[in-house]
């Protein structure tokens, strides 16, 4: 399987941090050296590696280290996110036409898997997207190409249109499109001829076909086994034809995988499909996260990442709870809480259990609640720092100023202050319960 050794090397590099309680600049540099080695040895493009490490370093040094999340978990998460972003972040699907026939043209060098991929993708969209596809055999160069396609089409129940090898590819496509229209097909695949190298004759023919039908998708097949070369191939095809997506084939082989990791960021073409074997069902629709899971090579990387996030949230929640329960609750804390509720973070659930806060958040799912939250935030924003930290000084004249400043009424400001007083009392009470050994919220 491709990426196997990259996976091993990455997992090994994370070990540099195991047992380390804290992230220092020194151990950040240590692990970056290891990650760099892992990427370069796996054939990731040099420039891509450099950018990758810059981003990881920045995130590692910029992330507040939280005691309960160990540095190696944090690093796994940061590297994982960076790989996802390298792979394009977003899933890009087939670019179906709003109306009329969607045409998908497959291009690529000889033997990279054009014909096989046409069959695989036609099969998938027929079943999954309920499309009614047809295939045009526009490879008239390789003697057995038409026959290969016909056998393939038959095996998936998709009609293959061909005019034999005596009629030119462009003419075949022209008549094929008319045939598709007359027969109510909604998706047409064009299987084109491959060449050993990119040459003018090939590009001319592909351009003519492109100009004739203006396909919604031009998918370039690249063979993962050919390594860094796929970057140049992708760039060249993209320059000449404006490719809309890549089909990376033969990822089931033992390709080092680095080129696949680099191609999106260097050639700026999204990967849309991945071929994982010779059989018709050996096709993955490309999702950056899934590929990142695979590259990280840790079956449980996703749960690891989730756990790390959860722990970070819990830690933040506990810290703020501690403060509040020790009676240090200020309007500033309240503002932070309102912000958190706004973001609907996991803290929302905990906050809802706090008496008092409950009132402010009870209609949390409605637009009204959102407006109320924002109003309360606006009121606190209109206060001075001193007022936020010591709300007792807020009397009549200050209330007028705050109401004016936040575009609210005196009543709104008074309500917020009452709410705050109540919360503070309740926090104090709970704090005492806590000290007496009772556990709140159970
Ligand atoms: N292992 C593996 N083999 C594949 C994959 N995709 C294609 N192949 C094999 O690669 C070989 C070439 O595939 P084709 O689909 O004929 O490639 P092509 O680009 O149409 O080739 P030409 O038409 O000759 O340019 C065949 O033996 C396929 O079975 C894949 O994802 N994994
Ligand atoms: Mg072919």
């Amino acid at each position: 399987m491709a990426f196997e050794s990259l996976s091993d090397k990455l997992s090994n590099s994370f070990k540099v941090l195991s047992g380390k309680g804290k992230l220092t600049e020194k151990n950040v540099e240590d692990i970056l050296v290891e990650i760099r080695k892992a990427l370069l040895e796996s054939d990731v493009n040099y420039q891509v590696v450099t950018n990758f490490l810059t981003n990881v370093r920045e995130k590692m040094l910029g992330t507040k280290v939280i005691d309960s999340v160990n540095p190696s978990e944090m690093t796994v998460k940061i590297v994982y996110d960076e790989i996802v972003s390298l792979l394009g972040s977003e899933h890009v699907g087939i670019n179906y036409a709003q109306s009329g026939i969607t045409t998908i043209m497959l291009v690529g060098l000889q033997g990279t898997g054009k014909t096989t991929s046409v069959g695989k993708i036609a099969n998938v969209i027929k079943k999954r997207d309920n499309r009614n596809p047809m295939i045009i055999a526009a490879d008239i160069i390789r003697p057995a190409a038409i026959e290969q396609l016909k056998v393939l089409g038959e095996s998936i129940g998709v009609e293959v249109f061909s005019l034999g090898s005596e009629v030119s590819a462009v003419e075949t496509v022209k008549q094929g499109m008319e045939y598709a229209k007359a027969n109510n097909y909604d998706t047409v695949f064009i299987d084109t001829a491959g060449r050993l190298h990119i040459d003018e004759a090939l590009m001319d023919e592909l351009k003519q076909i492109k100009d004739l039908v203006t396909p919604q998708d031009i998918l370039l097949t690249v063979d993962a086994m050919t390594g860094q070369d796929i970057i140049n191939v992708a760039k060249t095809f993209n320059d000449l034809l404006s490719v809309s997506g890549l089909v990376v084939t033969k990822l089931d082989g033992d390709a080092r995988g680095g080129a696949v990791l680099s191609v999106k960021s260097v050639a700026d073409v999204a990967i849309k499909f991945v071929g994982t074997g010779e059989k018709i069902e050996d096709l993955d629709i490309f999702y950056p996260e899934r590929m990142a899971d695979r590259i990280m090579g840790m079956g449980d990387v996703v749960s690891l990442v989730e756990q790390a996030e959860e722990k970070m949230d819990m830690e933040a929640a506990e810290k703020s709870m501690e403060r509040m329960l020790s009676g240090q609750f200020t309007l500033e804390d309240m503002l932070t809480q309102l912000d958190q509720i706004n973001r609907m973070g996991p803290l929302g659930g905990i906050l809802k259990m706090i008496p008092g806060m409950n009132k402010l958040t009870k209609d949390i799912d409605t637009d009204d609640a959102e407006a109320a939250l924002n109003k309360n935030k606006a009121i606190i924003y209109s206060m001075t720092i001193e007022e936020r930290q010591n709300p007792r000084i807020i009397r009549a004249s200050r209330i007028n100023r705050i109401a004016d400043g936040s575009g609210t009424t005196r009543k709104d400001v008074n309500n917020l202050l009452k709410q705050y007083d109540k919360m503070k009392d309740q926090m104090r009470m709970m704090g005492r319960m806590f000290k007496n050994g009772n556990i709140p919220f159970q």
Side-chain angles (χ1 to χ4, degrees):
M1 263 314 181
F3 292 125
E4 216 159 84
S5 93
L6 175 57
S7 303
D8 288 350
K9 284 178 185 138
L10 276 180
S11 333
N12 276 332
S13 64
F14 295 130
K15 288 195 188 124
V16 171
L17 289 178
S18 67
K20 298 269 193 306
K22 282 217 153 40
L23 267 189
T24 61
E25 282 196 31
K26 165 87 172 67
N27 48 43
V28 167
E29 289 313 316
D30 286 349
I31 189 164
L32 288 177
V33 168
E34 294 301 313
I35 295 172
R36 181 186 150 86
K37 241 195 296 179
L39 294 173
L40 284 177
E41 283 172 10
S42 305
D43 203 25
V44 178
N45 175 279
Y46 183 82
Q47 192 54 49
V48 171
V49 174
T50 307
N51 293 343
F52 189 94
L53 294 175
T54 305
N55 294 345
V56 170
R57 178 186 287 112
E58 206 168 276
K59 282 191 190 158
M60 286 180 78
L61 295 176
T63 306
K64 220 170 78 204
V65 178
I66 289 158
D67 295 341
S68 64
V69 181
N70 71 46
S72 86
E73 280 172 338
M74 293 243 307
T75 313
V76 168
K77 170 157 173 49
I78 289 169
V79 170
Y80 173 84
D81 287 346
E82 206 48 43
I83 290 180
V84 171
S85 124
L86 201 55
L87 290 168
S89 298
E90 301 279 320
H91 161 71
V92 189
I94 288 176
N95 181 28
Y96 287 119
Q98 300 279 355
S99 60
I101 297 177
T102 297
T103 313
I104 303 169
M105 179 175 170
L106 270 281
V107 301
L109 293 181
Q110 211 169 69
T112 48
K114 291 177 294 299
T115 306
T116 310
S117 301
V118 163
K120 288 175 176 178
I121 300 170
N123 184 49
V124 159
I125 66 158
K126 189 177 163 204
K127 288 187 182 153
R128 191 199 61 177
D129 300 345
N130 244 336
R131 305 290 296 195
N132 183 20
M134 187 194 96
I135 302 171
I136 299 176
D139 177 5
I140 56 160
I141 293 177
R142 194 163 54 85
I146 295 172
E147 195 48 37
Q148 177 195 5
L149 198 52
K150 284 200 163 150
V151 171
L152 189 61
E154 208 154 291
S155 75
I156 54 170
V158 173
E159 183 171 5
V160 173
F161 180 91
S162 165
L163 294 175
S165 54
E166 300 300 313
V167 179
S168 78
V170 180
E171 183 58 28
T172 306
V173 170
K174 195 171 164 214
Q175 293 193 34
M177 292 306 295
E178 282 160 14
Y179 180 85
K181 207 169 174 186
N183 288 276
N184 292 319
Y185 286 109
D186 58 16
T187 314
V188 172
F189 287 87
I190 303 173
D191 182 37
T192 63
R195 299 281 204 288
L196 209 45
H197 306 285
I198 296 169
D199 61 28
E200 234 173 274
L202 168 71
M203 285 302 169
D204 269 357
E205 182 176 288
L206 297 178
K207 257 195 234 156
Q208 282 182 50
I209 297 175
K210 179 189 168 182
D211 291 345
L212 182 70
V213 294
T214 351
Q216 274 65 35
D217 259 312
I218 300 183
L219 301 180
L220 171 69
T221 52
V222 288
D223 178 341
M225 300 295 286
T226 51
Q228 286 293 317
D229 224 26
I230 70 175
I231 293 174
N232 295 326
V233 170
K235 266 189 185 163
T236 313
F237 269 88
N238 197 25
D239 285 348
L240 296 168
L241 283 174
S242 292
V243 170
S244 64
L246 294 179
V247 182
V248 177
T249 61
K250 309 187 193 181
L251 216 66
D252 48 311
D254 55 2
R256 283 182 292 170
V260 177
L261 250 181
S262 321
V263 72
K264 165 72 176 76
S265 79
V266 183
D268 197 27
V269 188
I271 302 173
K272 291 200 178 185
F273 296 96
V274 173
T276 57
E278 299 198 19
K279 291 199 294 295
I280 201 81
E281 61 273 14
D282 295 334
L283 180 80
D284 286 344
I285 293 162
F286 182 78
Y287 289 91
E289 281 102 352
R290 287 187 205 163
M291 182 62 85
D293 289 351
R294 184 164 167 177
I295 292 172
M296 297 290 280
M298 303 167 195
D300 55 350
V301 65
V302 176
S303 63
L304 199 70
V305 166
E306 276 165 7
Q307 272 171 25
E309 275 168 358
E310 220 166 81
K311 279 188 199 162
M312 286 190 246
D313 285 337
M314 281 306 288
E315 186 106 353
E318 273 167 28
K319 284 238 168 76
S320 108
M321 274 299 247
E322 252 168 50
R323 273 178 52 76
M324 294 192 292
L325 293 178
S326 67
Q328 294 172 5
F329 187 68
T330 68
L331 277 167
E332 208 120 82
D333 291 320
M334 192 163 165
L335 186 62
T336 312
Q337 307 296 8
L338 293 175
D339 262 338
Q340 240 135 9
I341 298 166
N342 250 10
R343 274 187 273 128
M344 291 280 181
L347 217 51
I350 295 169
L351 286 169
K352 269 197 255 179
M353 291 190 274
I354 302 174
M357 196 47 110
N358 195 21
K359 283 217 176 61
L360 282 174
T361 63
K362 67 175 188 297
D363 296 320
I364 197 154
D365 294 330
T366 70
D367 288 349
D368 281 0
E370 187 81 22
L373 274 182
N374 287 334
K375 192 193 260 184
N376 283 325
K377 274 167 64 180
I379 292 171
I380 303 178
Y381 276 129
S382 294
M383 296 175 181
T384 64
I385 301 284
E386 203 192 352
E387 287 163 350
R388 292 183 206 176
Q389 280 168 354
N390 188 11
R392 264 173 313 174
I393 64 172
I394 303 176
R395 309 251 179 234
S397 70
R398 288 182 190 249
I399 289 179
N400 281 337
R401 196 205 75 239
I402 294 166
D404 286 348
S406 58
T408 60
T409 62
R410 288 175 57 92
K411 196 170 157 229
D412 290 329
V413 178
N414 277 319
N415 275 345
L416 176 93
L417 290 172
K418 261 189 230 148
Q419 201 62 249
Y420 162 77
D421 277 338
K422 214 187 252 170
M423 281 172 71
K424 188 169 172 166
D425 282 349
Q426 278 163 333
M427 299 276 183
R428 227 188 254 130
M429 217 167 71
M430 286 196 314
R432 277 199 297 272
M433 275 163 54
F434 220 176
K435 268 198 205 127
N436 294 337
N438 297 320
I439 300 159
F441 323 130
Q442 278 194 351

